[in-house]
Amino acid sequence: MSDYYNAFEMSPVPPPGPDAVAPEPFRGIYGMPAFVTIPTTDLAASADFWVRGLGFFQLFSIPGTVVHLRRWAFQDVLLVSAESVPEQAPAMSVSFACVLDQVESIAEACRALRPDSVDGPRDTPWTTRDVEVITPENARIVFTAARVVDPAGQEAKDLEAVGITPPGVGRGDNEEHA
């Protein structure tokens, strides 16, 4: 028996599929359960890359201090003014969900702004398609989209073997756990 259960209804991420539609940018104010803080020596240039390349919008800013960026609900980034940034991207990355039809457009937009900033897209063993971007601040950002899983296929069997029911199978069964 598994302690895992589907709770997809609490996420803005749509179920995978060829018709998956990305949610609209979320402009509400909420207590952020998690966020990323990224130091930058040029707030304006960094914000421009995140907006035009990665599809974020500026929620608000305090001039010369911080720019609060967001895409979907719970995808918050604070760009903060700093004296310096690392010379190389760290091994660690932060990932943001997207839908499959956004992966290539994000890669293309970032390549147009910074030609050597993109690695991928590539498919992962955990059923996503990912594109990795190194931002002007040398942050390692991954945009990840769920791929469709054939419920009778090996990927679904692999997920079930570790106690995870693929999205769309048994959705909405959170009531007994809530």
Side-chain angles (χ1 to χ4, degrees):
M1 183 166 135
S2 171
D3 290 337
Y4 299 116
Y5 55 92
N6 284 341
F8 282 84
E9 68 273 5
M10 65 185 288
S11 172
V13 180
D19 58 346
V21 175
E24 291 294 317
F26 190 82
R27 298 180 186 282
I29 302 298
Y30 52 74
M32 298 183 299
F35 58 93
V36 178
T37 302
I38 298 180
T40 177
T41 57
D42 188 336
L43 280 170
S46 291
D48 182 64
F49 182 84
W50 283 78
V51 169
R52 293 192 310 138
L54 300 174
F56 282 74
F57 68 92
Q58 185 172 309
L59 187 63
F60 72 86
S61 69
I62 300 172
T65 305
V66 65
V67 175
H68 185 157
L69 302 169
R70 181 178 294 152
R71 288 181 74 243
W72 303 351
F74 314 121
Q75 293 186 339
D76 292 274
V77 172
L78 302 180
L79 298 175
V80 295
S81 184
E83 294 290 321
S84 64
V85 297
E87 290 183 31
Q88 291 184 315
M92 187 189 99
S93 64
V94 63
S95 298
F96 293 97
C98 63
V99 295
L100 278 173
D101 73 356
Q102 292 180 311
V103 173
E104 192 58 47
S105 62
I106 290 168
E108 289 173 11
C110 290
R111 280 188 184 108
L113 295 168
R114 298 185 73 216
D116 296 327
S117 66
V118 178
D119 182 21
R122 65 182 170 278
D123 289 346
T124 69
W126 46 91
T127 69
T128 64
R129 179 161 300 138
D130 293 0
V131 63
E132 182 179 280
V133 178
I134 305 300
T135 68
E137 315 80 31
N138 283 324
R140 186 177 307 276
I141 307 300
V142 176
F143 276 82
T144 184
R147 292 185 287 114
V148 176
V149 175
D150 175 2
Q154 188 60 49
E155 288 176 324
K157 291 174 186 170
D158 292 345
L159 289 172
E160 288 175 21
V162 296
I164 299 171
T165 304
V169 177
R171 283 182 59 105
D173 68 348
N174 193 28
E175 289 182 22
E176 85 177 67
H177 304 284

